[in-house]
Amino acid sequence: MSRTARVARVTSAGLAALLLATACGRSADSGPDKEAASLGEGPAKGTVTMWSMGDPDPTLESLAKEFEKRNPDADVRITPVPWDAAHDKLTTAIAGGNGPDVSLIGSTWMAEMAAMNGFEATPKEISAASFFPGQWATTTYQDTAYGVPFIADTSVIYYRTDIAAKAGVTQPATDWKGFAENLAALQKTAGKQNPELRYASGMQTGFNAWLFWLPLVWQSGGDIYDPKSKKFTFDTPEVAEALTYYGEIFANKMAPTDKTDGQQGFHDGLIATLQQGASVGGNLHKDSPELDAVWKTMPLPVNKEAAGLAGGSDLAVFRSSDNKDAAWKFVRFLTEAENLAAYGAGTGQLPAAIGAWDDERMTGNTKLAAFREQLDVTKAPPALTTWQQIASVIDSELEKLALGKATVQDVQKALQSKATSIGTGR
């Protein structure tokens, strides 16, 4: 789905970094510094080192060159870091005080690394109002922002119009009940009117299933954690409702449980609907432009309220930076609406700034309209330093439910117990 979806496993290097973090500088109990510096006047000066994530990014490099043109005394140096090594590299750099000036950070890592006192608080000159609320929330830890949203990510429903038409579904329903009826109608045509079709839904189970299930809880009007009481709330009726809806898709054999490649299945007509992020649409268009006319997107179906998950990547300035002012000015430049629109057009990523979506480079792609609508109602997962452990437990319990090895009540009890045992961290 997103860069965020590539959750790093805790390794010995990462654990060592966390232990070192408590021994260096501020203590673990003291928490991160919440004091935000103000940006200086005038252009940026000096060298700004940045870690990007994944493959080399020509669009990012192009924006960096534009920044250098506007700031002649600034020199931006970008180093790509593979996503599978990024988490441990970042935590090790924070612990050792030798990170770059600025880096892309997977949004679900922000709380953990902010708690290590790794990042500077966001300057007041950068306004939260410029960004989708859910995306801004991914930057916050203990009510303080420690970065700026850069790449937004959320999921929508992709559906094959050619397959849906043969099931009498001209436009999928926008509510849970109606959409479930649509899935049942689609499933009835599998191997018949739709001879290649095997599953109505590509709902995910196993690794990273939490990304697709957690919005169901919010859509039901609930949550899994109460920040006021600092207690987990997996034992609520709303969570039960979300688990029931999720589980019934698998109980009715409308989604695969064998780790089928959902994107490939959607492409091949084996799967009729798929809940995924923008990268899937980009891949479909790139690899199979002949299918552009037979797939569309829509926002996630609504239960009691509309909701989606805010993922993606944020930009953070390291406390160890020797050139914080120039680093923040580069971050501010990258996250201006015009530049985020340029980045989105060049990479297919979703801009995190609201104003970027008014740019014709974004409005011209009608298949992005569902994402724009979904971003208005996204929420961030709980800003807990133990979130990766909690997410792993959710994945494991959802898989048991999907495979029929546990009931909704079993899963609720296990989630509440295991999450409480893991705790909220620092």
Side-chain angles (χ1 to χ4, degrees), residues 108-152:
T108 56
W109 299 342
M110 287 294 293
E112 173 193 357
M113 296 177 188
M116 293 175 66
N117 202 27
F119 306 141
E120 286 285 299
T122 306
K124 61 183 179 181
E125 289 86 351
I126 300 177
S127 173
S130 298
F131 302 89
F132 293 103
Q135 295 301 144
W136 186 264
T138 68
T139 71
T140 62
Y141 175 65
Q142 295 183 348
D143 300 322
T144 299
Y146 290 96
V148 183
F150 183 58
I151 298 170

Side-chain angles (χ1 to χ4, degrees), residues 77-96:
R77 301 178 184 180
I78 301 173
T79 301
V81 177
W83 272 104
D84 58 2
H87 179 274
D88 289 347
K89 187 175 179 69
L90 288 164
T91 53
T92 300
I94 290 170

Side-chain angles (χ1 to χ4, degrees), residues 24 44 46 51 71 115 121 158 176 199 216 227 285 320 325 368 392 424:
C24 300
W51 288 352
N71 300 268
Y158 289 78
W176 275 22
Y199 300 103
L216 297 177
H285 176 68
S320 59
D325 186 69
L368 290 179
S392 180
T424 61

Side-chain angles (χ1 to χ4, degrees), residues 295-419:
W295 65 267
K296 291 184 178 181
T297 57
M298 59 173 279
L300 300 182
V302 174
N303 187 18
K304 295 181 179 68
E305 59 186 73
L309 181 85
S313 298
D314 302 323
L315 291 168
V317 171
F318 280 60
R319 281 186 56 78
S320 59
S321 169
D322 292 326
N323 197 1
K324 295 181 178 67
D325 186 69
W328 276 121
K329 286 175 179 175
F330 184 47
V331 168
R332 181 174 62 178
F333 169 83
L334 288 177
T335 55
E336 290 173 350
E338 179 182 1
N339 295 325
L340 276 179
Y343 188 79
T347 63
Q349 302 284 4
L350 305 178
I354 299 170
W357 289 83
D358 295 328
D359 191 290
E360 62 182 8
R361 288 169 289 189
M362 303 304 299
T363 59
N365 187 343
T366 58
K367 290 187 177 181
L368 290 179
F371 289 98
R372 172 62 183 84
E373 184 175 341
Q374 196 68 58
L375 285 169
D376 277 333
V377 294
T378 57
K379 297 182 181 182
L384 306 175
T385 61
T386 57
W387 176 249
Q388 302 294 358
Q389 295 167 265
I390 302 296
S392 180
V393 167
I394 296 173
D395 287 345
S396 177
E397 295 303 320
L398 288 178
E399 186 167 31
K400 293 175 186 176
L401 181 63
L403 294 174
K405 295 182 178 180
T407 65
V408 166
Q409 292 74 23
D410 293 335
V411 171
Q412 273 195 283
K413 184 177 180 180
L415 287 174
Q416 185 69 16
S417 174
K418 292 179 180 181

